[in-house]
Amino acid sequence: MLRRLALTAVVSLAALATAVPASTATGPVSSGSVSSGSTSSGPVPSAVPTTGPFAAARPSLGPLPLPVPPLPGFLDGGEGKGTGEADEVLTRLTVSVENTGVAGADGTFELECGPTGGSHPQGQAACDRLAEAGATRAGRQELFRPTPEGTMCTMIHGGDATARIVGTWEGRAVDTTASRRDGCEIARWNSLVPVLPDVR
């Protein structure tokens, strides 16, 4: 009887040993464990599926980005200049003056600002006056604007002097005339001194 029970136990153990899947013998070893026996040389199973419906999508690499071109001068702090960029004088005026009765005041003169240049006899002072007027909104609107029609002006004759100013002021086109025929025109002429000569 005992012999039969022992034989049954041996058979049961053998059947249990053969039921263990072979994959458990070659599975991944945790970092804190030490495997005993011989080390398997087969591939270690991946934790992420590489085939089938659950396989992770792998994005394809596109073309490499092109190098960024240099910034133009107005973006890189003004240290460089873009291709074809040239220095441009934003203020360039031609001032023609007649009948002032002041020696050296009559004539046609060129005025450039930024930097100052031309044949104007008071170039730097004239550029300073233009810069002062251009610093305010009222100055930009009023400096070269003619006297509006219908304006009540005093009937004061300030002389026969006339002038014409043509060109560009801070990038804006200018074409205006001035005289001293009444109080409004006298005040306007005086506001343009020293772009126009002081004939008071």
Side-chain angles (χ1 to χ4, degrees):
M1 181 67 180
L2 292 175
R3 186 177 179 181
R4 181 179 295 177
L5 291 175
L7 181 58
T8 302
V10 172
V11 172
S12 298
L13 289 175
L16 180 61
T18 58
V20 178
S23 62
T24 58
T26 60
V29 180
S30 62
S31 60
S33 64
V34 178
S35 61
S36 60
S38 60
T39 304
S40 174
S41 60
V44 178
S46 173
V48 180
T50 58
T51 59
F54 298 101
R58 301 194 180 194
S60 59
L61 296 177
L64 294 177
L66 296 176
V68 179
L71 292 175
F74 65 90
L75 292 179
D76 65 0
E79 297 179 357
K81 293 183 178 181
T83 304
E85 182 180 355
D87 292 335
E88 181 180 359
V89 178
L90 297 180
T91 297
R92 182 182 287 109
L93 300 172
T94 300
V95 183
S96 301
V97 184
E98 297 179 348
N99 304 320
T100 63
V102 177
D106 291 358
T108 299
F109 310 98
E110 301 296 329
L111 175 63
E112 295 181 358
C113 302
T116 302
S119 59
H120 196 287
Q122 300 185 61
Q124 187 57 58
C127 288
D128 292 343
R129 174 67 187 110
L130 294 175
E132 179 186 9
T136 64
R137 181 177 180 182
R140 291 191 298 271
Q141 293 177 344
E142 301 293 334
L143 184 61
F144 290 109
R145 190 173 72 171
T147 303
E149 293 184 8
T151 302
M152 300 294 293
C153 302
T154 58
M155 301 304 295
I156 301 176
H157 185 67
D160 296 328
T162 60
R164 184 180 182 185
I165 303 174
V166 180
T168 303
W169 174 47
E170 295 188 353
R172 293 183 289 270
V174 172
D175 187 352
T176 189
T177 58
S179 70
R180 300 180 63 83
R181 65 175 180 266
D182 57 36
C184 294
E185 285 299 296
I186 291 172
R188 183 165 175 265
W189 183 292
N190 292 341
S191 72
L192 286 166
V193 173
V195 179
L196 296 181
D198 189 352
V199 295
R200 289 173 289 186

